[in-house]
Amino acid sequence: GHHVSSQHVRIRRRELQCRFDIEKFTPAFLSIYESLVPVDEEIVKQKQLLLSLRKLVNKEWPNAQLHLYGSCANSFGVSKSDVDICLAIDDTNMSKSEILLKLADLLQADKLENVQALTHARVPIVKMMDPVTGIACDICINNLLAVVNTKLLRDYAQIDERLRQLAFIVKHWAKSRGVNETYKGTLSSYAYVLMCIHFLQQRTPAILPCLQELEATCVVTIDGTTCAYFDQVDRLRNFGVQNNESVARLLWGFFQYWAYYHDYANDVISVRTGRLISKQMKDWTRRIGNDRHLICIEDPFETSHDLGRVVDKYSIRILREEFERAADILQYDPNPSVTLFEPY
Ligand code: ATP
Ligand code: MG
């Protein structure tokens, strides 16, 4: 049967409201966005570091490749982010741990600082700091799916600048409010960016297309997973022009959605399809091991992978209270571009 909860009643009440003066906060949110975007000098330093690491690594492994991934390459990185690098290597004689330990030796010998091999982490990495540029860096091995999902995010960002504006502000909010910490059961930056992409795919008229539903112009298979999507995004630059919503209105809508509209019991957000899909369809209705599926965000390529799986019954409450707080601030607060980011 269909279940009408008190939450639905609340949804109806909110639906009637729309803050008529929301647009006037766009300049303030845009200036926060501008202050978070890294300056060119920083990007240059990251490239320098990558080049010097390539030299070092190729001396030992001539066929190995280094790829930037994560926020330094997906265009959603704020100033002074750590740099994430993936070492793609095809050495059948060495285990992943052996490669990491060898890499750590090479880095140490090359005078990089705080070199640490974390061979037992969920994603094993070598951490280090480059004293020349001051950049902190994590290097993982053969995590090529992350390199491809990095490219997908970067390609989406090129279609409409409102995606970067929205996602930078959402990430800044999440960091300020302590809800961007997967080890504490809240969501990763990657998950928040997917939530923003999905939200913009869902606007009417849509601000973003669904790249995986269009003709595939980029196809790679990694560990048996085929990643295919339309990546000629310069042909989609005008996609969202029918929709003239500003970043303040989109932020308001984003938090309204996660506070009062999203059906946590039944729905999965899916950037892959550009739609909501049902938990039932994915068989995400039961708890299996540690996967509780209390907020469901489908990975665009590893489709069995729920990015909300880190969320538990305690942290879901915190998360939803934060969504409600943010929605209410955007609805009623006289100074939302300040109050939204107040430390918790
Ligand atoms: P931040 O600015 O917070 O460092 P980030 O974009 O680097 O943001 P992370 O959450 O640190 O985000 O993730 C780094 C990269 O690792 C992501 O861009 C993504 O490519 C990959 N990644 C992270 N978490 C997952 C995951 N659960 N499944 C698949 N890939 C992931
Ligand atoms: Mg990162």
Side-chain angles (χ1 to χ4, degrees), residues 70-72 81-84:
S71 61
C72 60
S81 295
D82 292 2
V83 169
D84 298 306

Side-chain angles (χ1 to χ4, degrees), residues 57 61 63-65 87-92 94 99 141-142 144:
V57 163
W61 295 292
N63 296 321
Q65 289 177 306
L87 169 63
I89 183 171
D90 207 0
D91 188 331
T92 42
M94 282 173 97
I99 294 169
I141 313 285
N142 292 340
L144 290 167

Side-chain angles (χ1 to χ4, degrees), residues 69-72 74 76-78 81-82 84 122 143 145-151 153 171 175 180 182 187-191 193 299 302 305-307 309-310:
Y69 76 101
S71 61
C72 60
N74 66 16
F76 295 98
V78 301
S81 295
D82 292 2
D84 298 306
R122 192 178 61 80
N143 190 3
L145 275 166
V147 177
V148 180
N149 68 38
T150 293
K151 175 170 153 55
L153 267 46
K171 276 179 66 172
K175 285 183 206 290
N180 179 208
T182 48
L187 298 169
S188 66
S189 296
Y190 178 56
V193 175
D299 187 88
E302 291 174 277
H305 190 156
D306 176 8
L307 297 169
R309 67 183 176 172
V310 291

Side-chain angles (χ1 to χ4, degrees), residues 19-31:
R19 185 169 183 166
F20 66 91
D21 64 343
I22 191 74
E23 306 296 346
K24 79 175 185 206
F25 301 109
T26 285
F29 282 117
L30 284 180
S31 72

